[in-house]
Amino acid sequence: MSKEKFTMVGKVERRVDGYDLVTGKVKFTGDLKFSGMLYGYARRANVAAGRIKKIDCSGALAIPGVVTILFANDIPGPNIIGILPPFDQPLLASEEIRYEGESIALIVAKTKAVAKSAAAKIIIEIEPWDPILNVDEALKEGARKIHPQGNIIFSKKLIKGDVEKGFEEAEVVVENTYNTGFQEHAYLEPEAVCAVPMGNGRITVYASCQSPFHLRTHISANLNVPASQVKVIHAHTGGSFGGKDDVAAEIGSLASIAAVKLGKPVMIAHDREESIIGSNLRHASRIHYKTGAKKDGTIVAREIDILLDGGAYASESPFVVMKALIHAAGPYNIPHVFVKSTAVYTNKTYCGAMRGFGVPQVTFASESQIDELAAALKMDSLELRYKNGLRPGDATATGQVFNQSVGLIETINRIKEKRKHPHLKGKLNDSRWLYGTGFSCMLQGISNGAEGIDVVGASVQMSQDGSVLIGVGLTEMGQGSHTVFAQIAAEVLGITIDKITVKQLDTDSVHDSGATVASRSTTVGGMAVFKAAQEVKKSLVKMASLMFKVNEEQIIFKENFAILKNDDSARIPLKEVATAAYWTGFPLMNLAFSKAPEANYDHETHQGNIYIAYNFGTHMMDIRVDRFTGRVEVLRHIASHDVGKVINPLGVEGQVEGGSLMGFGLAHMEKIIYQEGHIINANLADYAVPTVKDRIPTETILVEDYNPTGPFGAKGVGEPPVAGTAAVFANAVADATRIRFRSLPITREDILKRITAIKK
Amino acid sequence: MSKEKFTMVGKVERRVDGYDLVTGKVKFTGDLKFSGMLYGYARRANVAAGRIKKIDCSGALAIPGVVTILFANDIPGPNIIGILPPFDQPLLASEEIRYEGESIALIVAKTKAVAKSAAAKIIIEIEPWDPILNVDEALKEGARKIHPQGNIIFSKKLIKGDVEKGFEEAEVVVENTYNTGFQEHAYLEPEAVCAVPMGNGRITVYASCQSPFHLRTHISANLNVPASQVKVIHAHTGGSFGGKDDVAAEIGSLASIAAVKLGKPVMIAHDREESIIGSNLRHASRIHYKTGAKKDGTIVAREIDILLDGGAYASESPFVVMKALIHAAGPYNIPHVFVKSTAVYTNKTYCGAMRGFGVPQVTFASESQIDELAAALKMDSLELRYKNGLRPGDATATGQVFNQSVGLIETINRIKEKRKHPHLKGKLNDSRWLYGTGFSCMLQGISNGAEGIDVVGASVQMSQDGSVLIGVGLTEMGQGSHTVFAQIAAEVLGITIDKITVKQLDTDSVHDSGATVASRSTTVGGMAVFKAAQEVKKSLVKMASLMFKVNEEQIIFKENFAILKNDDSARIPLKEVATAAYWTGFPLMNLAFSKAPEANYDHETHQGNIYIAYNFGTHMMDIRVDRFTGRVEVLRHIASHDVGKVINPLGVEGQVEGGSLMGFGLAHMEKIIYQEGHIINANLADYAVPTVKDRIPTETILVEDYNPTGPFGAKGVGEPPVAGTAAVFANAVADATRIRFRSLPITREDILKRITAIKK
């Protein structure tokens, strides 16, 4: 497969959904209108911790237009959301309040404005408790238990080799603690669902979400009906980045309960404040790193302790704990590694999945320390990375050995090339600007791997006119996967991309394929499309061989024609083959499954085979810092990633640019500010997410190291650039300012304070 | 399979969709409301034949609320409907008018009332021609050609043996001509569609229809877009009986063109008059039969000439021609058969598919003549049928030999049993009532057979909670197939029926399975469900064997548990097996295809294997006729059918009772009355469709002759009772009145006239 010439794979394609999106034609959930539709709005807790004593909603119910108010005891099912044990989160809180913003009641009214004003009229008496606001308080001996099982959500260890022995061998040791803050997903479209009772015992839920199957599970459980009666349609979704999972299950369940109770469609569409305070954030972290090396730069040991602030509920903290654990040692060949990773409950908005899943936090810390080690060794930091970087045949931190598709060194080489042509040439520090260059290396596991089973279903259906409809059990949330799937099917079937439609996922039409996470759409999802398309192709080949009266081997498909291999002029339009195949009874639809090889590892030490592949990356960033304002100007950012075979270069660039900007936001701009458990900047005026004006000049370099576990050799790329950019920014700032910032974000304000401090 | 004991198959089950239907919860197409929805209404021709000279719609466009008016030249595609060659029907007529009621323009307005009043304001000048109103005129030398290719739609011959030689051997010959009238489908819910542009390049069409895939084909062609961009959802449908195919394609295409043009949802919902004049009817027929027999009753030859009035367009006339051809000789072992079957164009509403598809017409004629032959032979007519009836190993009229599932003789025997206990005992003709008893035998092919390929796709998806969602490429239009599918899956998976949801078909989710016709849902559709469920079961068995740590052979599933074969107390709830299977990565969804063995026959003589099976039936009817009013009272009607293994006895009874009533309507009540090409009774006040008050006391006797080509041995039953009842009624009337009526319907008026004539 690796040496074939491709026609559709590797071709620059505009997003198949691009035109309708940029021209504003696409309908998002909030645009939907159904006859008799009602609107739901949650009344939330206004303290971070306490116990509900009394609720009086008589005033709220008296407001004209209010239809009903739902409380915990109106939920037919178990009142639980959360896809993982310990299943600790109520849909509606009825006793204890664990974070400010927790939903207590759902007001359903004829308009959202009415629901909102009714929400304010509900009188809720809460006995307030002292909130636990950081991990130290939470872990303190005798601390109040936020949940009955205590304040530790999940904790895991990774043990490779003998880290004590490793440090004994070390000649240079560096050790430090790094911090990162909370980050909001800040998608363009806040969360929204619309539940429509179908009148035939079923309910259809349109949802802006990441994982319609999770919604189905939660909705059916909380409605107490069989899952087969619930259909979740993945509405066009304006971004998710891991954020629209638990919260979508929450509002999907609430809207469904209200819709079934009232027999009417119910919409819940969050505004920005609800989106920030009422759903998960990226975990803040405190990470201690100790790295030991020989004088020649050979890293021999790393010992890492990761503490993640998980907020009030577990959500996907266990996955984030594991992912941070597995990636903490970085893309290096290190014989002795010990990592401990722990998530802790606090009385803050719960944390969960977000693009990168713990990897950006540890990569920032790890790569900062690599720079610090290089300084201690007086080595060039990029050379230090090159020296220790994983090569084919090396063992990762979990002891997994890849003999193929380990392109790290090539990504470093490509950066070295760029470094030879310094962008900052002639731009020396002057009275105003401080110039600097940073480097970072990273890896990010592709596929669910250790986090669970990884099966994706996909269907490919060709109509008699030769057009093709693709359905995949994963969601398109803006990442461009529909275009990738179309290119894969087009390549297999020898058709042009205009013949292909990729439909929105709904839970009726394909096997439960789990969540669209872990940069697995192109690999595991793409492989399912590949398999399904191959089956359809078999029917077409059979039919064409009957029509041409030749052996099947003599037939190829290209440019929407069946063509004889040895006579390019012998052509039958594929639509004629499709029509004939249909009338001959050869199936033109297939539902295929792709299953990633299962993770296989020791649960005590996390040693074993974790992922089907890794994306490897090396970043370089040239910046200048304004001595007078702390402003950072990114002059050049080069992101070199080994993504396996590229399906759509434009799509990969988009992912690298978008992920990089999100990493830049994490590293430099975005800061959730808590005051006593209350987020004071729950809006996009005060929470500074990068806008188009903050766009950094990312240049993407793609290394295509063939991955045998992906379709046509592809790997994923959705998450990796976040980590690479967050890390490289910190190192560039350190290089420019000669100050090591060990906490993200490194805001303009932070920089200015430290520069000014030095000046004094 | 035939000797297994079943738990779900053969069990009386209430219809899975019954509760929501009878409580009025189900939403039909006309109940749907979308924001901004517009309404379409067609302006139709008011002459039966002519040429459009001028159209002026300025007055109509000036009416407030009228949004647009579409004509033929507004259709992006080829302006054709019709699933078969000769593709002779325009979506909107632009030149020639071929029947009164043909659509010329579509008015789209804010309400249907506005659209209707605008339709009346469109001035259409038509040069009228003398309409051709019957088959004789149409076939006359030099007759005006209704279509360029002439006035014969389709004509076929069936030749078995040597019919001339047969008649030479015959000792008794009877010969006569029979007629049947047009019949309207008269479903409770007239045709309706609603087209919704999705804003993402796709259009979703909700349709009360029989074959969503036909709609997809027509809509995409007429919109000139790839089929993959069109999704047709089969809305809950209040009856179809063959009627909602071409017309649904017509209004589906028109609504879609308007919706795409205007960017808004467009509903077209017919009222009763539109439903009658604007869509196909059952073919009227004139059939000549000649039957020769030995004196001992052995039938040696039949020569049959069938002329069908096809109306203005071909529609499914070719299929009806073939079906009449194949079934005309009846369920008898006759060495020499010659049949000619022809459909002819006239300037009347087009005729097409209707439950029975030509078989009721020929069965009425054939069975009338069998009675006449019995009279000529002075034989008991049931004994004559018994003597000649098909037995295993006999050849049908097409020379097809079935060695299994030929239950005709058993159905006769069961009727003989009933005859021993005369219902009319002591009820002799008196001064008011004439008593009589009729018999009929029939056969009806199951599956598409000679009419085309027969492939059905079905998906079975089990969720982690053990509930199951079934999707089948065929439509539930009231026939109860969803319940049959649920029982089949329940039997395979060992679960109870409450765990199962059968979803409405949409064209995205399953392979194009053609039309839901030919009584093939239970057989071909059921087999697809059977196969898909078997695949899901394989995953469950694998998982259960891992959980029990036993071989797969030791596991059975029943009552929602996995159970050890040799230890009924060792049980794991199936939902736990399903959850474990999911997390282990065993697929819990399968999309399977069932392909009926292909028809294989000589196209000149129609000799060969046509169908996968036949349903055989024998009917008996006791009636009394009021000498003073002509009123017929059905005292007893026994319908004995060989349906193979019964899946749901209640469902089969429902089909037999409903089909019988439709046959009764055809035979006795229903009469479309044309005056110069104009239907004068296009409403349910003047067109007498049987109501609940006309219900006849049908008693169903089921013969279960195992059919190896159906799931668990089942055959179909949707159509056969129509033919049996139409025929038995005519014979009962002849027995009671001693008058042979050779034209259907035999109305009360007809009977009274003839009785009175005799009295004089």
Side-chain angles (χ1 to χ4, degrees):
Chain A
M1 198 153 71
S2 61
K3 280 158 199 164
E4 281 178 49
K5 278 204 173 176
F6 300 120
T7 52
M8 294 309 300
V9 161
K11 194 174 164 212
V12 171
E13 282 288 352
R14 194 172 74 178
R15 275 181 56 169
V16 292
D17 46 357
Y19 179 81
D20 294 312
L21 281 164
V22 299
T23 53
K25 287 185 180 147
V26 164
K27 283 180 188 150
F28 292 86
T29 304
D31 299 323
L32 300 175
K33 284 204 183 70
F34 294 95
S35 172
M37 190 166 83
L38 302 170
Y39 297 82
Y41 180 82
R43 168 62 198 264
R44 296 173 186 275
N46 55 2
V47 301
R51 181 178 299 281
I52 298 170
K53 294 180 72 179
K54 204 177 143 191
I55 297 176
D56 177 2
C57 61
S58 53
L61 280 169
I63 294 178
V66 172
V67 179
T68 194
I69 301 179
L70 301 178
F71 294 95
N73 56 13
D74 295 308
I75 298 167
N79 190 18
I80 286 175
I81 57 165
I83 61 161
L84 289 175
F87 304 115
D88 58 3
Q89 187 164 0
L91 192 49
L92 291 175
S94 60
E95 297 185 21
E96 192 168 336
I97 297 300
R98 296 189 179 88
Y99 76 94
E100 186 182 315
E102 187 156 16
S103 296
I104 298 168
L106 184 82
I107 300 92
V108 182
K110 292 193 174 167
T111 67
K112 183 166 176 180
V114 168
K116 255 181 146 163
S117 63
K121 294 268 190 219
I122 300 176
I123 299 162
I124 302 179
E125 279 180 36
I126 298 177
E127 174 195 328
W129 296 340
D130 283 342
I132 294 174
L133 294 174
N134 63 57
V135 294
D136 294 318
E137 282 179 55
L139 294 175
K140 211 178 276 172
E141 187 78 28
R144 178 171 58 77
K145 289 182 178 177
I146 295 174
H147 288 271
Q149 71 271 27
N151 291 341
I152 290 179
I153 301 173
F154 195 74
S155 186
K156 290 291 261 182
K157 284 176 187 163
L158 180 150
I159 303 167
K160 180 188 183 190
D162 179 342
V163 80
E164 285 190 27
K165 188 166 153 268
F167 280 110
E168 280 167 19
E169 289 170 14
E171 294 163 335
V172 178
V173 173
V174 292
E175 186 168 3
N176 256 309
T177 298
Y178 306 86
N179 293 282
T180 68
F182 298 104
Q183 187 178 21
E184 161 63 12
H185 303 84
Y187 14 71
L188 277 176
E189 179 211 18
E191 308 85 7
V193 298
C194 185
V196 184
M198 300 306 285
N200 58 4
R202 303 195 77 201
I203 182 161
T204 296
V205 182
Y206 298 81
S208 172
C209 68
Q210 185 142 354
S211 308
F213 296 104
H214 287 172
L215 266 75
R216 182 176 67 178
T217 303
H218 284 91
I219 292 167
S220 63
N222 283 308
L223 270 176
N224 197 22
V225 301
S228 58
Q229 289 179 15
V230 178
K231 175 179 182 176
V232 180
I233 296 176
H234 185 245
H236 292 278
T237 292
S240 177
F241 313 114
K244 291 176 179 167
D245 208 354
D246 310 73
V247 62
E250 175 193 329
I251 60 177
S253 297
L254 289 174
S256 297
I257 292 164
V260 168
K261 183 182 172 184
L262 301 168
K264 291 196 172 173
V266 173
M267 166 88 78
I268 300 179
H270 278 169
D271 55 30
R272 187 61 64 183
E273 185 182 2
E274 292 172 283
S275 180
I276 295 176
I277 65 170
S279 73
N280 64 307
L281 301 168
R282 187 194 295 284
H283 292 74
S285 68
R286 189 175 71 206
I287 314 175
H288 188 82
Y289 265 85
K290 181 178 167 189
T291 305
K294 298 275 190 191
K295 278 185 182 158
D296 69 354
T298 307
I299 300 173
V300 289
R302 296 195 97 171
E303 186 174 352
I304 303 153
D305 189 7
I306 303 160
L307 265 181
L308 299 164
D309 186 342
Y313 294 105
S315 178
E316 298 189 34
S317 277
F319 290 158
V320 177
V321 163
M322 278 201 283
K323 212 136 190 168
L325 182 86
I326 293 162
H327 292 79
Y332 305 113
N333 183 22
I334 307 172
H336 307 291
V337 179
F338 178 90
V339 190
K340 188 180 170 199
S341 180
T342 306
V344 177
Y345 286 121
T346 60
N347 287 125
K348 288 191 272 193
T349 296
Y350 63 97
C351 294
M354 185 168 177
R355 195 179 194 177
F357 246 90
V359 178
Q361 293 97 316
V362 295
T363 303
F364 151 70
S366 168
E367 290 298 294
S368 292
Q369 186 153 90
I370 293 292
D371 260 26
E372 293 180 83
L373 177 65
L377 290 164
K378 299 192 182 5
M379 265 184 86
D380 177 81
S381 76
L382 190 59
E383 287 304 325
L384 179 63
R385 291 178 168 93
Y386 180 84
K387 184 176 183 70
N388 290 283
L390 278 168
R391 287 155 170 86
D394 287 348
T396 67
T398 73
Q400 187 169 8
V401 176
F402 291 93
N403 292 310
Q404 269 186 282
S405 208
V406 184
L408 177 71
I409 296 303
E410 180 63 13
T411 66
I412 296 177
N413 286 337
R414 301 292 288 275
I415 292 292
K416 282 186 180 178
E417 280 298 311
K418 289 285 175 180
R419 191 188 195 182
K420 282 185 201 158
H421 309 281
H423 194 73
L424 305 184
K425 196 172 175 181
K427 288 177 179 168
L428 299 172
N429 290 354
D430 58 27
S431 59
R432 178 160 180 200
W433 297 102
L434 297 165
Y435 289 84
T437 296
F439 300 96
S440 69
C441 285
M442 56 78 59
L443 82 174
Q444 178 122 22
I446 300 303
S447 77
N448 284 341
E451 292 143 44
I453 196 66
D454 202 338
V455 173
V456 174
S459 68
V460 169
Q461 178 186 187
M462 184 177 274
S463 290
Q464 288 183 57
D465 68 355
S467 66
V468 167
L469 181 69
I470 298 176
V472 185
L474 301 175
T475 53
E476 167 66 80
M477 303 162 287
Q479 76 272 47
S481 61
H482 279 189
T483 311
V484 168
F485 298 145
Q487 285 182 268
I488 289 171
E491 184 69 47
V492 173
L493 294 166
I495 60 179
T496 51
I497 204 164
D498 58 303
K499 302 287 176 201
I500 298 182
T501 302
V502 186
K503 65 176 178 166
Q504 290 297 110
L505 169 61
D506 69 75
T507 55
D508 276 9
S509 62
V510 66
H511 182 269
D512 182 342
S513 302
T516 305
V517 294
S519 304
R520 69 191 185 103
S521 291
T522 296
T523 48
V524 192
M527 205 54 134
V529 173
F530 180 83
K531 285 170 125 181
Q534 287 280 17
E535 290 302 313
V536 171
K537 187 181 181 180
K538 281 182 194 166
S539 288
L540 295 170
V541 168
K542 267 188 213 162
M543 190 67 237
S545 100
L546 292 174
M547 294 169 90
F548 275 123
K549 299 188 175 66
V550 300
N551 289 336
E552 294 182 6
E553 298 71 40
Q554 287 177 255
I555 290 160
I556 55 170
F557 293 140
K558 68 177 185 192
E559 298 154 10
N560 307 317
F561 283 90
I563 304 174
L564 286 189
K565 216 173 247 174
N566 49 15
D567 177 6
D568 197 67
S569 69
R571 291 171 167 236
I572 302 175
L574 212 55
K575 67 178 174 183
E576 290 177 19
V577 180
T579 302
Y582 175 76
W583 287 104
T584 310
F586 294 140
L588 290 178
M589 182 171 180
N590 186 266
L591 175 66
F593 299 90
S594 160
K595 186 181 171 191
E598 220 163 316
N600 180 4
Y601 64 101
D602 182 291
H603 286 255
E604 292 304 308
T605 64
H606 256 76
Q607 293 299 293
N609 295 333
I610 304 282
Y611 297 115
I612 62 171
Y614 279 95
N615 177 305
F616 294 95
T618 303
H619 287 222
M620 174 167 82
M621 186 180 272
D622 296 328
I623 62 166
R624 62 179 187 178
V625 178
D626 187 328
R627 294 178 196 267
F628 298 96
T629 65
R631 183 159 80 93
V632 179
E633 211 177 302
V634 179
L635 302 168
R636 180 164 77 158
H637 173 222
I638 302 171
S640 175
H641 280 272
D642 166 25
V643 299
K645 175 69 194 166
V646 174
I647 308 287
N648 182 12
L650 199 59
V652 175
E653 276 174 34
Q655 283 295 81
V656 173
E657 289 177 18
S660 293
L661 197 59
M662 191 170 259
F664 180 72
L666 172 68
H668 183 46
M669 297 175 66
E670 301 181 42
K671 191 172 191 170
I672 291 284
I673 306 168
Y674 271 102
Q675 278 183 357
E676 290 302 302
H678 173 73
I679 298 175
I680 62 165
N681 61 339
N683 60 70
L684 294 189
D686 299 320
Y687 178 81
V689 66
T691 68
V692 70
K693 289 198 168 179
D694 303 300
R695 193 165 166 265
I696 58 174
T698 300
E699 180 186 336
T700 303
I701 294 175
L702 299 179
V703 171
E704 299 189 61
D705 204 334
Y706 181 83
N707 165 35
T709 61
F712 302 104
K715 295 196 282 199
V717 70
E719 296 171 285
V722 181
T725 307
V728 79
F729 178 81
N731 287 340
V733 170
D735 187 53
T737 61
R738 307 292 151 187
I739 303 165
R740 175 57 57 183
F741 291 82
R742 296 198 185 85
S743 287
L744 295 189
I746 306 162
T747 64
R748 189 185 295 192
E749 185 185 355
D750 296 328
I751 293 170
L752 188 62
K753 272 186 193 159
R754 295 276 295 273
I755 294 174
T756 312
I758 287 169
K759 276 190 186 159
K760 284 174 194 164
Chain B
M1 198 152 74
S2 62
K3 279 157 197 161
E4 280 178 48
K5 278 205 174 176
F6 301 119
T7 53
M8 295 308 302
V9 161
K11 196 175 164 212
V12 171
E13 282 288 352
R14 193 173 74 179
R15 276 180 55 167
V16 291
D17 45 358
Y19 179 81
D20 294 311
L21 282 164
V22 299
T23 53
K25 287 184 179 147
V26 164
K27 281 181 190 150
F28 292 87
T29 305
D31 299 325
L32 300 175
K33 283 204 183 72
F34 293 95
S35 173
M37 191 166 83
L38 301 170
Y39 297 82
Y41 180 81
R43 167 63 196 266
R44 294 172 188 274
N46 55 1
V47 300
R51 181 178 300 280
I52 297 171
K53 294 181 70 179
K54 203 176 144 193
I55 297 175
D56 176 2
C57 62
S58 54
L61 280 169
I63 294 177
V66 172
V67 179
T68 193
I69 301 179
L70 300 178
F71 294 95
N73 55 12
D74 295 309
I75 298 167
N79 190 18
I80 285 175
I81 56 166
I83 61 162
L84 290 175
F87 304 117
D88 58 2
Q89 187 165 1
L91 191 48
L92 290 175
S94 60
E95 296 186 21
E96 192 168 336
I97 297 299
R98 296 189 180 88
Y99 76 93
E100 185 182 316
E102 187 155 15
S103 296
I104 297 168
L106 185 82
I107 300 92
V108 183
K110 292 195 174 164
T111 68
K112 183 167 175 178
V114 168
K116 255 181 146 164
S117 62
K121 294 268 189 221
I122 300 178
I123 298 162
I124 302 179
E125 277 179 40
I126 298 176
E127 173 196 329
W129 297 340
D130 283 340
I132 293 174
L133 295 173
N134 62 57
V135 293
D136 294 318
E137 282 180 54
L139 294 176
K140 212 178 275 173
E141 186 77 29
R144 179 170 58 77
K145 289 182 177 179
I146 295 174
H147 288 271
Q149 72 272 26
N151 291 340
I152 290 178
I153 301 173
F154 195 73
S155 186
K156 289 291 261 183
K157 285 177 188 165
L158 179 151
I159 303 166
K160 180 188 183 189
D162 178 342
V163 81
E164 284 189 29
K165 187 165 156 266
F167 279 111
E168 280 166 21
E169 289 169 15
E171 294 162 335
V172 178
V173 174
V174 291
E175 185 169 3
N176 256 309
T177 298
Y178 305 86
N179 292 282
T180 67
F182 298 104
Q183 188 178 21
E184 161 64 12
H185 304 84
Y187 15 71
L188 278 175
E189 179 211 18
E191 307 85 8
V193 297
C194 185
V196 185
M198 300 306 284
N200 59 3
R202 302 195 77 201
I203 181 161
T204 296
V205 182
Y206 298 81
S208 172
C209 69
Q210 186 142 353
S211 307
F213 297 103
H214 287 173
L215 267 75
R216 183 176 66 181
T217 302
H218 283 91
I219 293 167
S220 63
N222 283 307
L223 270 176
N224 198 20
V225 301
S228 58
Q229 289 179 16
V230 178
K231 175 180 183 177
V232 180
I233 296 176
H234 185 245
H236 292 279
T237 292
S240 178
F241 313 115
K244 290 176 178 166
D245 208 355
D246 309 74
V247 62
E250 175 193 328
I251 59 177
S253 297
L254 289 175
S256 298
I257 292 164
V260 167
K261 182 181 174 185
L262 301 168
K264 291 197 171 171
V266 173
M267 166 88 78
I268 301 179
H270 277 170
D271 56 30
R272 187 60 64 182
E273 186 182 0
E274 293 173 283
S275 179
I276 294 176
I277 65 169
S279 72
N280 64 307
L281 301 167
R282 187 193 294 286
H283 291 74
S285 68
R286 190 175 70 205
I287 314 175
H288 187 82
Y289 265 85
K290 181 178 167 189
T291 306
K294 298 275 189 189
K295 279 186 182 157
D296 68 354
T298 307
I299 300 173
V300 288
R302 296 197 99 173
E303 187 174 350
I304 304 154
D305 189 7
I306 304 161
L307 265 180
L308 299 164
D309 186 341
Y313 293 104
S315 178
E316 298 188 34
S317 277
F319 291 158
V320 177
V321 163
M322 279 202 281
K323 213 138 192 168
L325 182 86
I326 293 161
H327 291 79
Y332 304 113
N333 183 21
I334 307 172
H336 306 291
V337 179
F338 178 90
V339 191
K340 188 180 170 200
S341 181
T342 306
V344 177
Y345 287 121
T346 60
N347 286 125
K348 289 190 272 193
T349 296
Y350 64 97
C351 293
M354 184 168 178
R355 195 178 194 177
F357 246 88
V359 179
Q361 292 98 315
V362 296
T363 302
F364 151 69
S366 168
E367 290 298 293
S368 291
Q369 186 154 89
I370 293 292
D371 260 25
E372 293 180 84
L373 177 65
L377 290 165
K378 299 192 179 10
M379 265 184 87
D380 177 81
S381 76
L382 190 58
E383 287 304 323
L384 178 62
R385 290 178 168 94
Y386 180 84
K387 185 176 182 68
N388 291 284
L390 279 170
R391 288 157 170 86
D394 288 347
T396 66
T398 72
Q400 187 170 9
V401 176
F402 291 94
N403 292 310
Q404 268 186 285
S405 208
V406 183
L408 177 71
I409 297 302
E410 181 61 14
T411 66
I412 296 176
N413 287 337
R414 301 292 288 276
I415 292 293
K416 282 186 180 177
E417 280 297 311
K418 287 285 174 179
R419 191 187 193 183
K420 282 184 200 158
H421 308 283
H423 194 71
L424 304 185
K425 196 174 177 180
K427 288 179 179 166
L428 300 172
N429 291 355
D430 59 28
S431 59
R432 179 162 181 199
W433 298 102
L434 298 166
Y435 289 86
T437 296
F439 300 96
S440 70
C441 285
M442 56 76 60
L443 81 174
Q444 179 122 24
I446 301 303
S447 77
N448 286 341
E451 292 144 44
I453 196 68
D454 201 339
V455 173
V456 174
S459 68
V460 169
Q461 178 184 188
M462 184 177 273
S463 289
Q464 287 184 58
D465 68 355
S467 66
V468 167
L469 182 68
I470 298 176
V472 185
L474 301 174
T475 53
E476 168 66 81
M477 302 162 287
Q479 76 272 47
S481 62
H482 278 189
T483 311
V484 168
F485 299 144
Q487 285 181 268
I488 290 170
E491 183 69 48
V492 172
L493 294 166
I495 61 178
T496 51
I497 204 165
D498 58 302
K499 301 287 176 202
I500 297 182
T501 302
V502 187
K503 65 175 176 165
Q504 291 297 110
L505 169 60
D506 70 74
T507 55
D508 276 9
S509 62
V510 66
H511 181 267
D512 182 343
S513 302
T516 305
V517 293
S519 303
R520 70 192 185 105
S521 290
T522 296
T523 48
V524 192
M527 205 55 133
V529 172
F530 180 83
K531 284 170 123 181
Q534 287 281 18
E535 290 302 312
V536 171
K537 187 181 181 180
K538 281 182 192 164
S539 288
L540 295 169
V541 168
K542 266 188 215 163
M543 191 68 236
S545 100
L546 293 174
M547 294 169 90
F548 275 123
K549 298 188 175 66
V550 299
N551 289 335
E552 293 183 8
E553 298 71 41
Q554 288 177 255
I555 290 161
I556 55 170
F557 294 140
K558 66 176 185 189
E559 298 154 10
N560 307 318
F561 283 91
I563 304 174
L564 286 189
K565 216 173 247 176
N566 51 15
D567 178 5
D568 196 69
S569 69
R571 291 172 168 237
I572 302 175
L574 211 54
K575 68 178 175 184
E576 290 178 18
V577 180
T579 301
Y582 174 75
W583 287 103
T584 311
F586 294 140
L588 290 178
M589 182 171 180
N590 186 265
L591 176 66
F593 299 90
S594 160
K595 185 180 171 194
E598 221 165 313
N600 180 4
Y601 64 102
D602 181 291
H603 287 254
E604 292 303 308
T605 63
H606 257 76
Q607 293 299 292
N609 295 333
I610 305 282
Y611 297 115
I612 62 171
Y614 279 97
N615 177 306
F616 294 95
T618 303
H619 287 221
M620 175 168 80
M621 186 180 273
D622 298 327
I623 62 165
R624 62 178 186 178
V625 178
D626 188 328
R627 294 178 196 267
F628 298 97
T629 64
R631 183 159 80 92
V632 179
E633 211 176 301
V634 178
L635 302 167
R636 181 166 74 158
H637 174 222
I638 303 171
S640 174
H641 280 272
D642 166 24
V643 299
K645 176 68 192 167
V646 174
I647 308 286
N648 182 11
L650 199 59
V652 175
E653 277 175 35
Q655 284 295 78
V656 173
E657 289 176 18
S660 293
L661 197 59
M662 190 168 260
F664 180 72
L666 173 68
H668 183 47
M669 297 175 65
E670 301 182 42
K671 191 172 191 168
I672 290 285
I673 305 168
Y674 271 102
Q675 278 183 358
E676 290 301 304
H678 173 72
I679 298 175
I680 62 166
N681 61 339
N683 60 70
L684 294 188
D686 299 321
Y687 178 82
V689 67
T691 68
V692 69
K693 288 197 169 178
D694 302 299
R695 191 165 167 266
I696 59 174
T698 299
E699 181 186 336
T700 304
I701 295 175
L702 298 179
V703 170
E704 299 188 62
D705 204 334
Y706 180 83
N707 165 36
T709 60
F712 301 105
K715 294 196 282 199
V717 71
E719 295 170 286
V722 181
T725 307
V728 80
F729 178 81
N731 287 340
V733 170
D735 188 52
T737 61
R738 307 292 151 188
I739 302 165
R740 175 58 55 183
F741 292 81
R742 295 198 185 85
S743 287
L744 294 188
I746 305 163
T747 65
R748 189 185 293 192
E749 186 185 354
D750 296 327
I751 293 169
L752 187 63
K753 273 186 194 159
R754 296 276 297 270
I755 294 174
T756 312
I758 287 169
K759 272 188 187 161
K760 283 175 190 163

